Amino acid sequence: HIAIATGDAMPPGANVFAGTVTAATFGGDHREYRVAVGTAQLVVKAGAATAFAAGAPVYVHLPAAHCNAVAESDGFPPEATGD
């Protein structure tokens, strides 16, 4: 439930972050992108008609209804706690 778009197509609002496509893979009926947002790497799946090249500046939207917060003390993700 992550949306990806260029700046002119992404409505401003909560949970919208600027990022850069670091990798793009075509999967037949979809495309998969790795997007750097700050120090985080997100994996975003989009329809096959959505095409961004590596290096493209994009915006990602993480709808609040589909987000869950996890405390570092829960041990997830492992790299956040050094485990």
Side-chain angles (χ1 to χ4, degrees):
H1 292 102
I2 299 175
I4 183 172
T6 58
D8 57 344
M10 181 66 67
N15 295 340
V16 175
F17 303 95
T20 303
V21 174
T22 58
T25 306
F26 180 68
D29 63 342
H30 72 281
R31 294 180 191 265
E32 184 173 293
Y33 298 100
R34 294 204 180 269
V35 179
V37 176
T39 59
Q41 285 284 324
L42 303 177
V43 177
V44 180
K45 289 187 179 176
T50 305
F52 299 106
V58 295
Y59 287 88
V60 293
H61 177 226
L62 307 169
H66 299 288
C67 293
N68 295 304
V70 179
E72 279 188 55
S73 62
D74 292 338
F76 183 84
E79 60 271 13
T81 61
D83 295 337

